[in-house]
Amino acid sequence: MEGWSAAEAAHRAASDAELIAWVDEQDRPLGGLPRAQLRERGLIGRGTFILLFNGRGELCVQRRTLSKAVYPGYWDVAAGGMVLAGECYAESAHRELEEELGIAGVQLREHGRFFFSEPGNRLWCSVFSVQTDATLLLQAEEIMEARFMSIEAVAPMANREPFCPDSLQALQLYLASAHG
């Protein structure tokens, strides 16, 4: 918690206690569990990834705060997060996009789902995209900075800087669905 602001510490505590959709290996609902418990027990939750593009077709890439439980300080090619218990993927995607980047009232396009599994991060993931030139309003407790860049520039940057592997997989699914 060293280096965290009081707001980041409070946000992390509240985040760890949120009831998250708990699912099995086939993405069938099993109930809701606190986020921290899902991670600690190696159980599977649901997550959303929203790829935000501007009118020039550039992708919004964000750097996560150091207070994030998973991939702190990493670059992320998608907004998004965990689906709350009782929430569907699309509801979660709209909520997360508004919370993290201040973007609301937009039409999201769904690109499919994939399973991601690493220790402490096991998810069924749904990938969405949206194009807008709306002004970003970054959630300071979750995002340190954001920039728009071409998709082609992401891979070289990912070779130099740490990137969230789950969101890179979401980007691959997007690219396959958009060009397939």
Side-chain angles (χ1 to χ4, degrees):
M1 293 196 191
E2 188 177 315
W4 297 7
S5 69
E8 284 177 307
H11 181 77
R12 169 69 182 274
S15 177
D16 281 349
E18 282 181 324
L19 284 182
I20 302 302
W22 170 35
V23 297
D24 66 12
E25 289 83 1
Q26 285 73 46
D27 197 21
R28 293 183 297 238
L30 299 173
L33 287 174
R35 179 190 310 255
Q37 196 176 120
L38 276 175
R39 279 194 313 268
E40 291 161 6
R41 294 175 54 192
L43 300 174
I44 302 168
R46 283 182 172 168
T48 56
F49 294 84
I50 306 96
L51 302 163
L52 173 65
F53 294 92
N54 63 19
R56 293 183 304 280
E58 296 169 318
L59 178 63
C60 182
V61 178
Q62 311 103 52
R63 187 160 177 237
R64 297 161 64 88
T65 59
L66 298 175
S67 61
K68 297 292 286 179
V70 178
Y71 312 126
Y74 280 43
W75 288 96
D76 205 336
V77 297
M82 301 299 288
V83 177
L84 299 176
E87 192 176 45
C88 73
Y89 282 111
E91 291 168 333
S92 174
H94 283 283
R95 176 181 52 78
E96 291 285 354
L97 187 61
E98 185 172 5
E99 285 176 3
E100 292 182 6
L101 299 177
I103 306 291
V106 293
Q107 183 69 38
L108 299 178
R109 180 173 170 216
E110 189 168 3
H111 298 279
R113 297 183 185 157
F114 67 94
F115 181 69
F116 183 84
S117 184
E118 281 191 355
N121 189 23
R122 300 183 72 213
L123 301 170
W124 267 102
C125 309
S126 188
V127 180
F128 298 85
S129 69
V130 64
Q131 182 177 338
T132 182
D133 284 316
T135 302
L136 299 182
L137 179 60
L138 304 183
Q139 183 181 22
E141 297 84 8
E142 294 203 17
I143 300 174
M144 291 172 36
E145 62 180 296
R147 62 178 74 151
F148 283 93
M149 60 193 319
S150 70
I151 288 180
E152 296 78 21
V154 171
M157 186 176 172
N159 288 330
R160 298 186 314 271
E161 304 276 344
F163 267 76
C164 298
D166 50 2
S167 74
L168 289 176
Q169 191 169 334
L171 178 59
Q172 291 305 313
L173 189 148
Y174 165 81
L175 291 170
S177 74
H179 300 99

